[in-house]
Amino acid sequence: MNFPLRPKHKVEVDVLTESDEQCDLVVWNDEVNTFEHVIETLIEVCGHTPEQAAQCTLFIHFNGSYAVKHGSYNELKPMCEQIIDRGIGATIEFNT
């Protein structure tokens, strides 16, 4: 008995690849750091304008955390370390 040969089909597969724009730098609220300190840090470390830094700080305060910068892991890692070195909680989160 002969079975017909099935034609080869192309199968599309989603592949997880590292992208240059896949991470968020998240800063966390605490009861220790002043608004001024967080604002100054965001200006100096992240390159925010004073207005951007102030808005981010309000979001952090009222929401508990906020993604203050988007970019690649390699771009955000030194910024995260500098923020932590200044006594402010920060993490890098991968976008999914």
Side-chain angles (χ1 to χ4, degrees):
M1 179 178 226
N2 289 334
F3 294 100
L5 295 175
R6 292 186 178 182
K8 292 184 179 179
H9 295 282
K10 290 185 178 180
V11 177
E12 291 187 31
V13 178
D14 290 331
V15 178
L16 180 61
T17 59
E18 192 166 327
S19 168
D20 286 342
E21 300 299 321
Q22 70 171 0
C23 298
D24 293 325
L25 174 55
V26 177
V27 174
W28 297 87
N29 188 42
D30 62 34
E31 301 300 322
V32 177
N33 291 292
T34 64
F35 278 80
E36 292 78 17
H37 179 59
V38 175
I39 290 168
E40 179 181 299
T41 297
L42 294 177
I43 292 168
E44 293 176 2
V45 173
C46 298
H48 287 2
T49 65
E51 294 80 14
Q52 288 173 316
Q55 287 177 345
C56 288
T57 302
L58 287 172
F59 282 120
I60 293 164
H61 177 73
F62 287 110
N63 296 317
S65 66
Y66 186 69
V68 298
K69 190 90 171 168
H70 308 285
S72 69
Y73 179 82
N74 289 335
E75 175 189 9
L76 299 179
K77 184 178 179 190
M79 291 180 194
C80 185
E81 291 170 349
Q82 289 176 48
I83 292 170
I84 292 169
D85 287 345
R86 293 173 183 229
I88 300 169
T91 55
I92 297 174
E93 297 185 0
F94 289 90
N95 296 327
T96 54

